[in-house]
Amino acid sequence: MNKLLEAVIENNRRWTKDGKVATYIPELGKADQDAAGVCIITLDGEEYNGGDYKTKFTIQSISKIITLMLALLENGRDRVFSKVGVEPTADAFNSIINLETKNPQRPLNPMINAGAIATVSLIEGETSEVIFNRILNFTRKITGNPDININEDVYQSEKKTGDRNRALAYFMRSTGVIEQDAEEVLDVYFKQCSIEATCRDIARIGAMLSNDGVLPWSGERVVPRNIARIVKTIMVTCGLYDASGQFAVEVGVPAKSGVGGGIVAAIPGRMGIGVYGPALDARGNSIAGIRILEELSRELDLNIF
Ligand code: DON
């Protein structure tokens, strides 16, 4: 399997040339354009790696599945889905247009920026610091990695340049979707996006979801089966934004991308996969990452449909 993964990386690394590292968050622009890595964690505890699987990157939008799980655990589905819908968009991940034009006036789903900001506003805690620490501890648990932390430089960079996210949050405050102080909510959101991880860490999150909410390495249940199921479903319909339909046709697995270059995939009953390649396509998804997952889907017959 390690041989297969090395071959898949080498077959697909060339795609990085067709993409671009994100620069709208200036600190992300420092990533190595040509990097490509993969890690597979199977449900019987085996781990396989290839390419730049040891490289750390910020998880960015992959954090949206983590905060969705926590929000669902604390609030239940009715409250969460009264604030944020579950319908895909055909618009960019940071689009603002649907916040005003759709009825009810709430974000279409928890995977776009607006929906993730609304989702994280539901997580309980006295201060933004307390709330973020709960997210961080949950992330450490579901990755089995107590050393997970934020990348301070990326966090500062996001905070400094996050005006689009501020616009989304303040608009949602004006319509009552967000009830708390917008800056406090945004601070947690910027931090969750700046959590740093490797292919292995995100593959473990995928493995937990593919195992219906139970950590395969310890047998501990971290979320109920129905929450794991909701999250995987939304990953299929919305996980790659306005490229989710094409990804479902080509790869056919629940997945979530981030502009740091990571993509996590959860193959029900089989494995979690983490891929990394910071060069992105026009929709903000890892260009090599998608190709790597396409090839793995063919080679290992992963398509769930
Ligand atoms: O808020 C942002 O724009 C980034 N922190 C996260 C966006 C993201 O990862 C979109 N993913 N493909």
Side-chain angles (χ1 to χ4, degrees):
M1 183 79 116
N2 283 324
K3 261 200 188 134
L4 169 74
L5 294 187
E6 286 299 347
V8 170
I9 291 289
E10 290 326 311
N11 293 344
N12 292 287
R13 200 187 283 275
R14 64 196 160 92
W15 291 106
T16 60
K17 305 270 180 257
D18 292 353
K20 278 203 189 88
V21 170
T23 50
Y24 78 102
I25 299 168
E27 198 60 28
L28 295 182
K30 296 184 177 166
D32 170 11
Q33 159 97 21
D34 294 330
V38 60
C39 175
I40 288 182
I41 310 267
T42 63
L43 295 199
D44 50 19
E46 296 298 326
E47 177 179 332
Y48 306 98
N49 300 299
D52 302 303
Y53 66 93
K54 289 184 180 158
T55 304
K56 282 188 180 176
F57 53 91
T58 53
I59 63 174
Q60 297 293 334
S61 289
I62 295 171
S63 67
K64 294 170 181 174
I65 58 176
I66 299 172
T67 45
L68 177 60
M69 282 186 271
L70 265 184
L72 284 166
L73 274 172
E74 287 178 6
N75 297 270
R77 60 194 277 178
D78 289 350
R79 173 148 170 82
V80 172
F81 296 132
S82 72
K83 292 283 188 187
V84 54
V86 292
E87 301 304 335
T89 74
D91 301 300
F93 62 81
N94 57 2
S95 175
I96 194 164
I97 189 163
N98 291 310
L99 285 185
E100 185 171 30
T101 57
K102 292 283 184 296
N103 191 8
Q105 281 185 324
R106 61 174 187 211
L108 277 167
N109 69 66
M111 301 291 110
I112 52 173
N113 289 10
I117 294 167
T119 302
V120 79
S121 80
L122 294 170
I123 297 177
E124 281 155 38
E126 285 290 292
T127 62
S128 59
E129 235 169 83
V130 172
I131 295 169
F132 178 68
N133 273 329
R134 299 193 47 231
I135 296 168
L136 187 61
N137 284 333
F138 186 63
T139 308
R140 288 173 174 164
K141 180 170 243 181
I142 63 179
T143 55
N145 181 356
D147 299 326
I148 293 269
N149 228 317
I150 67 168
N151 179 319
E152 186 64 31
D153 293 337
V154 173
Y155 162 58
Q156 293 299 341
S157 189
E158 297 229 12
K159 205 171 162 91
K160 208 191 264 170
T161 59
D163 288 336
R164 176 69 72 102
N165 289 321
R166 284 198 179 85
L168 298 170
Y170 280 97
F171 190 91
M172 288 190 286
R173 232 188 98 75
S174 79
T175 54
V177 171
I178 288 183
E179 295 167 33
Q180 298 78 354
D181 181 277
E183 288 300 331
E184 295 281 307
V185 175
L186 284 161
D187 194 54
V188 181
Y189 174 75
F190 293 138
K191 281 186 179 153
Q192 73 176 75
C193 290
S194 309
I195 290 174
E196 204 168 43
T198 62
C199 287
R200 177 186 204 222
D201 298 317
I202 61 170
R204 284 192 161 207
I205 300 174
M208 177 275 285
L209 286 169
S210 65
N211 201 28
D212 291 331
V214 174
L215 302 177
W217 54 92
S218 68
E220 183 186 355
R221 176 169 290 286
V222 285
V223 292
R225 185 165 186 230
N226 72 314
I227 290 184
R229 191 174 258 173
I230 290 169
V231 171
K232 280 181 283 189
T233 308
I234 297 176
M235 286 164 77
V236 167
T237 54
C238 311
L240 274 79
Y241 313 107
D242 44 337
S244 300
Q246 188 171 359
F247 184 82
V249 169
E250 303 295 343
V251 185
V253 302
K256 180 76 205 86
S257 63
V259 289
I263 306 179
V264 55
I267 322 305
R270 292 184 62 185
M271 64 184 77
I273 307 177
V275 293
Y276 170 62
L280 309 178
D281 63 19
R283 272 114 168 218
N285 298 316
S286 170
I287 195 160
I290 290 179
R291 298 291 180 163
I292 292 164
L293 288 169
E294 275 176 23
E295 189 169 337
L296 285 176
S297 180
R298 281 193 305 272
E299 289 293 323
L300 303 173
D301 193 20
L302 303 180
N303 193 318
I304 64 168
F305 296 107

